[in-house]
Amino acid sequence: LRKQARQLENELDLKLVSFSKLCTSYSSTRDGRRDRYSSDTTPLLNGSSQDRMFETMAVEIEQLLGKLTGINDKMAEYTNSAGVPSLNAALMHTLQRHRDILQDYTHEFHKTKANFLAIRERENLLGSVRKDIESYKSGSGVNNRRTELFLKEHEHLRNTNNLIHSFFFSFSSIAMATKENMTSQRGMLKSIQSKMNTLANRFPAVNSLIQRINLRKRRDSLILGGIIGICTILLLLYAFH
């Protein structure tokens, strides 16, 4: 099962690298096409080979993730079987490691896929807007000035959209890193608390001694306070007489 898991993980790693490169090249290609876009009435994204390649690779990666999930489930069943010692740290560590790898690959795949779909949706919208602008420009040659203003406004909107898109993903990365740090700190605090409870349970005599010391200290404080109060009253009586 470990051998099968490592083989699937290697395949997934290669597929995800190619998938990420495909999405990057897709974005660069669309930017270049937008710059060279003229009065073509064919949508930019219809019939694209990159779109078909994206769909094929996404299906392959999802199938590999499903297989790897099944292998992890089988390993978990093996570690929980009656013939395997329940306290085998090496087995639990191996299982947790493969689960973490699966979770990382799944997160990376969904993130890359979401970025690709967002870019494609944005391109569909911007392509439709540009097509309408170009149609208007070609149908009214006397309004070149107005057309130029529309194009400039569209360019400003596109730049703003790109800026918001970049800010959103940067903020998402920061939020994920903060969440991971908080989770790690919570785990450390729980571990420290568990160790303190273990020490307290292991040394009850120390707790009893500390409690007796605190009680004696409190008693001495009360006695000292009473003596000071009595002396103060006697001094006041002497002063008034």
Side-chain angles (χ1 to χ4, degrees):
L1 290 175
R2 288 180 60 189
K3 183 178 179 181
Q4 294 177 11
R6 285 195 296 267
Q7 183 178 359
L8 289 173
E9 288 168 359
N10 292 332
E11 293 181 13
L12 272 170
D13 187 64
L14 295 176
K15 289 286 185 182
L16 287 173
V17 171
S18 301
F19 193 62
S20 179
K21 290 181 179 179
L22 173 65
C23 294
T24 303
S25 62
Y26 180 91
S27 179
S28 301
T29 302
R30 296 311 171 198
D31 290 338
R33 287 190 181 185
R34 282 200 305 268
D35 294 337
R36 297 191 302 269
Y37 185 84
S38 58
S39 60
D40 188 10
T41 58
T42 303
L44 290 177
L45 300 175
N46 291 342
S48 172
S49 60
Q50 288 179 319
D51 292 339
R52 292 193 297 271
M53 188 179 299
F54 166 79
E55 298 295 340
T56 302
M57 292 185 68
V59 172
E60 292 176 354
I61 293 174
E62 288 176 350
Q63 291 176 351
L64 290 174
L65 289 173
K67 292 180 181 179
L68 185 57
T69 302
I71 295 297
N72 284 343
D73 292 339
K74 290 181 180 179
M75 287 192 289
E77 291 177 0
Y78 175 76
T79 55
N80 294 328
S81 61
V84 180
S86 59
L87 297 179
N88 194 328
L91 288 178
M92 298 305 297
H93 176 73
T94 301
L95 177 60
Q96 185 61 38
R97 175 177 172 275
H98 286 293
R99 283 177 174 174
D100 292 340
I101 293 174
L102 174 61
Q103 184 178 2
D104 293 339
Y105 283 161
T106 304
H107 175 73
E108 182 179 356
F109 168 67
H110 288 302
K111 180 179 179 181
T112 305
K113 183 178 180 181
N115 291 344
F116 184 93
L117 294 177
I119 293 172
R120 187 167 65 179
E121 182 179 358
R122 186 182 65 207
E123 289 299 327
N124 279 327
L125 178 60
L126 294 178
S128 177
V129 173
R130 186 177 288 273
K131 179 181 176 181
D132 294 339
I133 293 175
E134 291 297 331
S135 298
Y136 176 80
K137 180 180 179 181
S138 60
S140 55
V142 296
N143 294 325
N144 290 332
R145 177 59 180 171
R146 173 179 278 181
T147 302
E148 291 179 359
L149 293 176
F150 279 140
L151 289 174
K152 289 181 179 179
E153 185 66 22
H154 169 68
E155 188 68 20
H156 290 319
L157 291 174
R158 185 172 68 87
N159 293 333
T160 304
N161 187 40
N162 291 334
L163 181 62
I164 294 174
H165 189 265
S166 300
F167 174 78
F168 173 76
F169 282 107
S170 298
F171 182 78
S172 298
S173 300
I174 294 173
M176 289 295 296
T178 304
K179 180 181 178 182
E180 291 176 358
N181 290 331
M182 293 295 292
T183 303
S184 177
Q185 292 179 6
R186 184 177 63 182
M188 292 176 61
L189 291 175
K190 286 185 177 179
S191 177
I192 293 173
Q193 184 179 5
S194 177
K195 291 180 179 178
M196 293 297 294
N197 291 333
T198 302
L199 290 174
N201 294 329
R202 187 174 297 177
F203 302 105
V206 176
N207 290 332
S208 178
L209 179 61
I210 292 174
Q211 291 178 359
R212 287 200 298 269
I213 292 173
N214 291 330
L215 289 174
R216 182 169 295 180
K217 187 176 180 180
R218 188 180 302 172
R219 186 188 63 186
D220 293 342
S221 299
L222 292 175
I223 293 172
L224 182 61
I227 293 173
I228 293 173
I230 292 171
C231 292
T232 303
I233 293 173
L234 292 175
L235 287 174
L236 290 174
L237 290 174
Y238 178 78
F240 283 112
H241 285 81

